[in-house]
Amino acid sequence: MRVPPRTAAPHVPPAAGIDALRAAAATCKGCELHARGTQTVFGQGARGAALMFVGEQPGDREDLAGRPFVGPAGQLLDAALARAGIERRAVYVTNAVKHFKWEPRGPRRIHQAPSAGEIAACRPWLEAEVRAIQPRVIVCLGVTAARAIFGRAVRLGDLRGGPHGDSPLGVPVFVTIHPSAILRLPERTLQDAELARLVEDLRAAARSVSPEAAPS
Ligand code: URA
């Protein structure tokens, strides 16, 4: 007998505002990851933000803090936003998957990439966040976010940039590199070059909602 795919859909209150969504997400059991993470890490940011940023999943620090992008990747994102002239408190930041997936290695919790099934199971939360915030543009930080939005495996090189007007969520989408991918680069010069490209991508997204913003 075929097992139906796991989904958060029954946990998502219909037509709810962002506070009600966050409260409901705290008890989500839409996939097995709720048993592994410390808590649900829901999106955070300005109501009615023009720009919504979507990452992969909370990391170790985010899992403990209960807030997205507060660890090393978040610090790099903050630096990139500042260089692009974007205020973090003016945007909304979330993840494709709302629980930290990890495996133990000695005393450490090592990040594991979410599966396609886990990304799909969590998508109803992302859809609900988009309905509640009504961003004018979504910025995917990395391919997991892009996979969540487009519903298929994507390659960064194929979709990088934007705006992609054909997004299934009905909001134009930009795709750029995930800050963690920059941190993993082996040399400082490579990191600097990729950070500069990320900043340019963020500027392009900001200009698409406010043409006078963030000149290159
Ligand atoms: N990486 C992500 O994709 N999201 C976070 O919140 C932190 C690190």
Side-chain angles (χ1 to χ4, degrees):
M1 200 180 68
R2 199 172 156 266
V3 180
R6 300 298 308 264
T7 175
H11 300 271
V12 180
I18 205 72
D19 293 335
L21 291 173
R22 183 177 294 106
T27 55
C28 182
K29 294 184 172 47
C31 77
E32 302 308 326
L33 294 183
H34 73 89
R36 222 182 291 188
T38 304
Q39 57 190 317
T40 305
V41 180
F42 206 67
Q44 214 181 30
R47 282 149 220 273
L51 292 171
M52 174 184 280
F53 291 85
V54 183
E56 181 196 72
Q57 62 167 343
D60 183 72
R61 296 269 292 277
E62 290 78 13
D63 172 73
L64 297 173
R67 288 181 287 124
F69 281 101
V70 294
Q75 284 158 20
L76 191 59
L77 176 62
D78 287 349
L81 289 171
R83 273 176 60 177
I86 302 169
E87 279 190 82
R88 175 149 175 182
R89 63 188 175 87
V91 305
Y92 185 86
V93 179
T94 192
N95 282 303
V97 172
K98 309 288 195 260
H99 281 102
F100 179 35
K101 183 176 181 184
W102 58 279
E103 62 180 0
R105 195 172 303 158
R108 298 180 59 210
R109 304 192 303 170
I110 304 300
H111 162 277
Q112 283 187 299
S115 68
E118 289 153 353
I119 296 166
C122 215
R123 193 172 190 265
W125 289 118
L126 195 53
E127 293 168 3
E129 287 174 294
V130 171
R131 281 194 300 271
I133 298 292
Q134 300 198 342
R136 288 172 56 203
V137 157
I138 295 173
V139 181
C140 294
L141 300 168
V143 290
T144 299
R147 180 180 194 130
I149 302 277
F150 289 100
R152 59 184 162 86
V154 300
R155 288 203 314 216
L156 181 61
D158 293 343
L159 277 192
R160 187 165 191 159
H164 302 286
D166 55 349
S167 123
L169 294 184
V171 179
V173 171
F174 283 76
V175 178
T176 187
I177 193 169
H178 193 290
S180 295
I182 300 178
L183 293 174
R184 283 196 299 271
L185 291 170
E187 286 171 30
R188 185 61 197 260
T189 49
L190 296 174
Q191 291 187 353
D192 289 347
E194 275 306 326
L195 178 58
R197 274 189 84 189
L198 170 61
V199 170
E200 272 317 304
D201 289 345
L202 300 184
R203 284 198 179 113
R207 272 198 304 268
S208 77
V209 297
S210 172
E212 70 281 3
S216 295

